[in-house]
Each structure stands twice: as structure tokens, then as C-alpha cells.
Amino acid sequence: DAGVTQSPTHLIKTRGQQVTLRCSPKSGHDTVSWYQQALGQGPQFIFQYYEEEERQRGNFPDRFSGHQFPNYSSELNVNALLLGDSALYLCASSSHDRVLLGYTFGSGTRLTVV
Amino acid sequence: TQLLEQSPQFLSIQEGENLTVYCNSSSVFSSLQWYRQEPGEGPVLLVTVVTGGEVKKLKRLTFQFGDARKDSSLHITAAQPGDTGLYLCAGTDSNYQLIWGAGTKLIIKP
């Protein structure tokens, strides 16, 4: 049973460029959340998707956008990249009716903006 | 805004010692989760506690949820080098959003 898969694993982009990160949730999960994690810190919530709609959003600018597809997979798009966007981006999946019980995380995408 | 204060931020101890990590908040959580994260990997769920006063054990790890569901602790008995990692607590608020602690970086020296 595959867990959460994210691609790519590593990415280097230039300031001002745009990037798309991808996530496939764990089998049986229908809710996808995205997080940004700086080195040595806890994850920061970006947004959550369920039924192809953004349901909740953290304190991130509109440069961060996302999408969920009918097969529950999701994309995170970041426009006009800044140096401060360099971080580990984590995708987490859960079942909508069991979110209280915890999330399954992918290994993340390490984004470096130069 | 709900906050979850995690302490200590950093802990380095010898193999065989015991330790406790704390997560505290002034707000009530619907549930509280503990994760362990290794460098370059995503957090891995260790346990979820839901009921006030609940205690769960996972081998040498003991997790407790406070009676008022505002705080939690993780106790490790006879720590081993394999326990090294970043330990994160996360509480679920009334909107089912996860509120994260800043993490405890734990190093167990052989």
C-alpha cells in the first residue's frame, strides 16, 4: 500500500520563476494538505483541499495556489518565487471523516530558490 | 490564534537516560498528535490522543493527554540512539486544522 508520494524530491529555481509541486495521497484518503517547513522548525500550514476545493488556508500570500484533481491528487503552485520560499514542502493526506486521528506525510520536496 | 508551546527545543542525553517532552497551550484541542521526523523526510505519526487524561504506550514511549485537553507529554524510557530525531506535537483545533509545536530536536549519544 503506497503512502503519500511527492514529486520532484528536489528542485532548484531562480528568483521570480514559477514552480509546481505534485502529490498523490495515500490510497483511501481524500483530503490533501500542504505545508512549508523551514529547517529545524515545525511545518507551517499552507492550505487544505477536499472535494477539489480549497477548504482552509493558512497565512500565505496569493502567490501560493493549489489544485485537487478528481483522483484526489494535488498540486501546489508558487508564482514569483522569492529567496524566502526556499524550504521543504510537505504534502499530507487524510480521510475527511478521520482527520482527528492524524495525517500521513510524504517525504517532501526540497525547493531551493537562488 | 491558538499556540502550542513545545519544550525543550533541544535535548542531548546519553543512551539509557529518560526524558520528557512537553506541549502546552491555553486552548482546548479536539485531539493531539505526536510525530517524529528524520532529516530529509516527512513527519511520521507516532500516536493520536483524543480523550482527556488518556495515556498511550508505544514500547518505551509513553504519551499523555492532559485532563483538560490543553497539554500533552511524551516520555521516553531508556533512550536509545535510534530515538534521535525531531519530535513534533500537533493539536487539532475546532476547525480541524493542525496547530504545530516548534519541535524538539532530540539527540541520544551512544
Side-chain angles (χ1 to χ4, degrees), chain A residues 21-24 32 34 49 67-69 72-76:
Chain A
L21 310 181
R22 296 177 175 82
C23 171
S24 292
V32 174
W34 286 92
Y49 276 84
H67 190 78
Q68 186 180 33
F69 300 93
Y72 309 121
S73 66
S74 177
E75 290 182 348
L76 163 64

Side-chain angles (χ1 to χ4, degrees), chain A residues 4-6 22-26 29-35 45-56 67-69 71-76 90-96 99 103-104:
Chain A
V4 177
T5 57
Q6 291 187 243
R22 296 177 175 82
C23 171
S24 292
K26 181 179 179 179
H29 286 181
D30 56 10
T31 301
V32 174
S33 302
W34 286 92
Y35 291 86
F45 175 69
I46 302 175
F47 42 55
Q48 182 181 80
Y49 276 84
Y50 170 64
E51 291 186 327
E52 302 179 48
E53 291 188 12
E54 182 182 295
R55 298 291 178 168
Q56 296 188 56
H67 190 78
Q68 186 180 33
F69 300 93
N71 66 353
Y72 309 121
S73 66
S74 177
E75 290 182 348
L76 163 64
L90 295 165
C91 171
S93 73
S94 62
S95 178
H96 182 70
V99 291
Y103 292 78
T104 302

Side-chain angles (χ1 to χ4, degrees), chain A residues 35 37 56 100-101 103 106-107, chain B residues 31 35 37 41 48 95 97:
Chain A
Y35 291 86
Q37 187 179 27
Q56 296 188 56
L100 280 181
L101 300 183
Y103 292 78
S107 296
Chain B
S31 69
Y35 293 82
Q37 184 177 22
E41 298 293 327
T48 300
N95 294 318
Q97 184 172 326

Side-chain angles (χ1 to χ4, degrees), chain B:
Chain B
T1 302
Q2 285 184 293
L3 293 174
L4 196 52
E5 296 184 357
Q6 189 171 344
S7 64
Q9 290 185 326
F10 179 80
L11 189 57
S12 178
I13 61 173
Q14 292 294 138
E15 180 178 3
E17 294 184 3
N18 302 330
L19 67 110
T20 303
V21 178
Y22 300 93
C23 273
N24 295 290
S25 175
S26 58
S27 304
V28 176
F29 291 105
S30 303
S31 69
L32 196 135
Q33 301 154 28
W34 285 91
Y35 293 82
R36 178 169 170 264
Q37 184 177 22
E38 298 196 33
E41 298 293 327
V44 175
L45 180 65
L46 297 174
V47 77
T48 300
V49 285
V50 179
T51 306
E54 183 176 4
V55 176
K56 283 191 174 180
K57 292 191 174 184
L58 186 66
K59 297 184 180 179
R60 294 176 292 100
L61 278 62
T62 301
F63 305 85
Q64 186 165 7
F65 202 14
D67 291 341
R69 292 186 289 138
K70 295 181 178 180
D71 55 86
S72 181
S73 63
L74 157 61
H75 183 78
I76 301 179
T77 303
Q80 298 178 1
D83 295 328
T84 293
L86 178 67
Y87 289 81
L88 295 155
C89 62
T92 306
D93 68 10
S94 56
N95 294 318
Y96 299 106
Q97 184 172 326
L98 276 183
I99 308 299
W100 291 85
T104 295
K105 186 174 182 179
L106 176 63
I107 295 176
I108 310 300
K109 296 175 284 188

